[in-house]
Amino acid sequence: MNINSERLYAKISMMKKTGIILILIVILGVILRFFQLGRVPISLEWDEVALGYDAFSILQTGKDQFGKAFPLTFRSLDDYKPPIYEYLTVPSILFFGLSQFSTRFPSAFFGVLTIIALYYLSLGIFKEIPNFRSKAVYISLLASFFLAISPWHLQFSRAAFEVNVSTFITTLAVTCFIYGLRSPRLFLVSAFLFGLDLFSYHSARIVGPILLLSLFLLFNRKLPGKMYLLSFFAILSVFVFCFIPILLSPDAQIRFKATNIFNPGARYLNEKDLEKDFLDERLFDKKAGFELAGKIFHNQRLIYFDYDTLKKAFYNYISNFDFEYLFVKGDAPLHHAPGFGLLYIVSFPLVIIGLLYLLFKALNRYTAIIPIWMLISPIPNAVTREAPHSVRTELIVPAYQIFTALGLVVLILFVIKESKWVRFILILSLVFLFLINQSYYLHQYYVHTNIELSENWMYGRKEAVFFTENNKKNYDKVIVSMKVDMPYIFWLFYSKYPPKTYLSEGGTVSGGFADERNHFDKYEFKNFTYDKLPHDQKLLLVGTPDDIPANANILKTIYYLDGSIALKIAENSH
Amino acid sequence: MKIKILLTVIILFGFFIRIWRIDHIPPMVDRSIYFFRIVSSLSYIGSGFLLYIFTKRLMHFKRIALLSAFIYTLLPWSFEQSRITSLPNIALFIFLIFLNFFTFNKQVILKIISLVFLITVYFYLYPQVLNIVPVFKIQISQILHNFFSILSPEFFLFKNNLYWWGGVRDWGIINISLLPFMVIGILFLIERKKYQIIIWTLLIALCTALNSDFPETRVFYLSLPFISVTIATGIFKFIKKESLKIRIIFLILLAFYFYDLAQYFHYYLIHYPQQISGNISEIHEAF
């Protein structure tokens, strides 16, 4: 054989091996995402059931629960969700029926696809570094492996979180952009994906455009020809034109108004009232004889740009890089396994090594994407409450996996020069620590999540629905207390109430927390006082322990998995 | 010569703003405290000059040394501690004496002598710094929690809560506007292999994390010189660039820094005395 044939043979052999390893990683990702999908976490929480039922309604009637035909924004629980996840759930429900599994399926499916997308993204980036060309495949395989087992990514792949689909779209969009610099057709695909991203999740509406702008700035000299550029913007503008009405609509702005840091909402009673604080501080300055200083430093006209708000925005932003948040305890209980962070603690030194190595030794226009991506992703959380927030910043996850992979490769390259025994001990220690960390995570997730967090995951509603469905024929009405938290949507979902019938009865009146106007069939969703219920009707009642006293005619008690009482079902005295 | 004059001006300016109305802000419970506050402010003078010498010998750039002294003068925590009876402030002066001996003496015996000197002086002057809990007596999770809360952006930029009743706890130890310079400074120090600065900072953070009085311990105050050097290095890197874009960015950051300083001084001079007057009864030491 001549040299060229040998090289070709070696290349094909390498590609085969890479392909096999990638397939194995994807299979691992599939197992971790689909094993007991729909059962761990044990139940759907209100956003998930809302997504599921809206998709079910679209499938059967072409309208959402409010009767709006093929909306570009789903009013849902009055939080105006972007539409992509709902529409992706439609085929899932078509094949699997309306269930916990089918509602979570798109998230798991696109979570698996993200693993593949990340492989190609890393490959596209690291092939452009001369010193790392031969190692690009290893880094890419490692990055996709780390994503496959990432606690952060698994948490949101195994529940119906729109941001997980958004992560896939964003990753694929950037991948297509990079490959599109050489293959212009992919450049146009990237335009489509960036446009689609505007409809995937709220955070992507900020991260996507800034990331796209960064890519244009980084690669301004490598962009395809004018025709392709024009086509790119033409495709993107179609999505932007569809998006503008959403942006300007008062309804769609409700989500931002409810969550931004500039307006203290009624739910967050411990938040600073900026206007009041300004006034108090100015009055104090005036009393102390510093009226002019008060006008300068506590100017209400600058309330949105005042120092305190800027500090808060910056604090919100930077808190997303907090060590304890990332590696030890995470944020809200729904967003991570109990007693575990978002990333493996073993990966901390690898992330640091990867970051420093990239900045000092491997920084070029391609690799610069990764730190830029990392810095852009928390921006949406800077101006919203509840920071740090792992859902709103999930778009950062691919960047962390790439840094981890790079860090590991750099460490191995360093260790390889040492003696056999040093190599052996170091690698063995790393593998050992990693296995312990991973085992602990799997234990915490599969064993403790359901037991410790069944209340957070709104367990008990399904069981309550089954009971009321089986017994409602014996009653005039079924009243479900509002303390059950958005009860109407749980009852719609688990009873699989036909959307056509529901819409003919008026559909959802409001997705608000306290709204008592929603009803269907025999069900009414409103607060009640047990002792003041009428006696002339046979009523089946569902409520929390606060709603139903101990001396009531209790028919069933539903318990959380930790043994505490979730719901009680009773009947009135008649 | 010019550098020395500038240095003297900076130090004198720093001393002046520290002693201005030192008997009123923050409020004094007893007139006898006045003397100790003056001592604290005077120790700042020594610290400023020693920091300059240390930085000049380490970085071999007089400008970085001068900038370090300047940054140290205006750091919120440095300013605040120099205006009260502060053992950490005086301890920092001793620490800088030790640091100059320890870092630049090649003879091991002299290094050991300087270390013994430091420990002995601290034993009598500032024993709190030696209250280290043995590692085996504290959970690793607690150590990590303490350590990373010291190194957190919250502590550095927003809430210095290590001196709860007497400190300016609604402000971090550095101004937000200095953060970009600090990040650049860290990267530059790593690039130039000046690891001592980072290692000392981490070591002091670890000692703080292991201190039995945590979080009510100001041991981390000893890292201010290193933080000042890091920020100064970042600023120096910036102003060395001749690019117009970089210079514009620098000017914007500088303007923000002055705005930041103005906010801090307004808060310190007007609102802090009012807040602290309600806490005086909780402070059981000379303040």
Side-chain angles (χ1 to χ4, degrees), chain A residues 281 284-285 288 290 293-294 297-298 305-307 311-312 314-315 318 322-324 345 348 356 359-360, chain B residues 144-145 148 152-154 157-158 170-171 176 179 187-188 190-191 256 259-260 262-263 266 270-271 274:
Chain A
E281 283 174 342
F284 181 82
D285 283 356
F290 298 100
F297 293 105
H298 309 294
F305 303 99
D306 79 283
Y307 192 67
K311 276 209 297 190
K312 191 169 177 70
F314 192 72
Y315 172 74
I318 212 143
D322 183 61
F323 174 84
E324 274 195 292
I345 199 165
F348 172 64
L356 288 175
L359 289 176
F360 287 108
Chain B
L144 285 175
H145 167 79
F148 283 102
S152 66
E154 185 177 2
L157 304 170
F158 302 105
D170 289 335
W171 232 268
I176 299 174
L179 182 67
L187 295 175
F188 185 67
I190 294 173
E191 194 186 16
F256 184 38
Y259 170 71
D260 213 349
Q263 283 281 355
H266 171 78
I270 296 172
H271 297 280
Q274 186 221 2

Side-chain angles (χ1 to χ4, degrees), chain A residues 110-126:
Chain A
F110 285 95
V112 171
L113 292 184
T114 313
I115 297 168
I116 303 170
L118 185 61
Y119 168 80
Y120 284 103
L121 174 65
S122 308
L123 195 65
I125 289 172
F126 288 100

Side-chain angles (χ1 to χ4, degrees), chain B residues 2-3 9 32-33 37 46 71 99 112-113 118 133 140-141 173 192 215 246 259 272-273 278 286:
Chain B
K2 203 165 120 187
I3 297 272
V9 166
S32 61
I33 302 294
R37 286 189 176 184
I71 294 295
L99 203 61
I112 294 172
I113 290 171
L118 180 75
V133 179
I140 290 182
S141 58
I173 59 173
R192 285 292 202 93
I246 301 285
Y259 170 71
Y272 169 63

